[in-house]
């Protein structure tokens, strides 16, 4: 298992920036995949950015060029730098980790989420 704690959300004007953090309770080297998702009211949860195999990254088209995912393995912390924020970025942002143990199925874990609100 892994516990994930997000922070860094808040209220910001359009064009502003925020940096989200996700601290994991175990080493990243024991986690198979990690990423950021978001969920706006009345909408489905969607992938924002993620680390795929190795250090490769994947971004939603809507955030490419504005958001950057990164991590500090020594601190078991993943970040999401969000620049040039838009009102449509308003959502609860959640950290996700996927762990595979042996031949078992992937286990997905979620943080509690952090609210990001962008005013126009």
């Amino acid at each position: 298992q892994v516990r994930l704690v997000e922070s860094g959300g808040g209220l910001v004007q359009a064009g502003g920036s925020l940096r989200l953090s996700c601290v994991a309770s175990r080493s990243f080297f024991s986690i198979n995949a990690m990423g950021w998702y978001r969920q706006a009211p009345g909408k489905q949860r969607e992938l924002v950015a993620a680390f795929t195999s190795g250090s490769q990254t994947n971004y939603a088209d809507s955030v490419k060029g504005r958001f950057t995912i990164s991590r500090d393995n020594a601190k078991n912390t993943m970040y999401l730098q969000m620049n040039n924020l838009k009102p449509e970025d308003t959502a609860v942002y959640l950290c996700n980790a996927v762990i595979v143990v042996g031949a078992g199925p992937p286990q997905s874990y979620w943080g509690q989420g952090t609210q990001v609100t962008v005013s126009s």
Side-chain angles (χ1 to χ4, degrees):
Q1 290 187 346
V2 61
R3 182 167 178 257
L4 305 170
V5 179
E6 304 100 330
S7 61
L11 173 63
V12 64
Q13 289 187 332
S17 298
L18 285 173
R19 188 176 82 155
L20 306 183
S21 299
C22 171
V23 180
S25 61
R26 61 190 288 175
S27 169
F28 283 176
F29 295 109
S30 64
I31 297 175
N32 296 86
M34 290 193 71
W36 289 97
Y37 288 71
R38 68 186 180 187
Q39 187 162 20
K43 295 187 177 181
Q44 288 190 336
R45 189 170 295 182
E46 63 174 354
L47 174 69
V48 177
F51 288 102
T52 56
S53 57
S55 296
Q56 292 184 341
T57 56
N58 182 36
Y59 293 91
D61 288 341
S62 59
V63 306
K64 283 180 180 177
R66 300 188 298 122
F67 291 11
T68 303
I69 189 172
S70 63
R71 63 191 177 192
D72 185 333
N73 292 335
K75 296 181 179 180
N76 298 342
T77 303
M78 180 175 66
Y79 303 99
L80 185 67
Q81 178 67 44
M82 306 185 294
N83 298 328
N84 190 21
L85 282 160
K86 304 176 180 181
E88 51 264 42
D89 295 319
T90 295
V92 174
Y93 284 70
L94 303 108
C95 177
N96 173 259
V98 176
I99 297 174
V100 179
V101 178
Q107 298 294 319
S108 184
Y109 299 90
W110 297 91
Q112 83 289 350
T114 185
Q115 176 71 46
V116 172
T117 303
V118 185
S119 63
S120 57

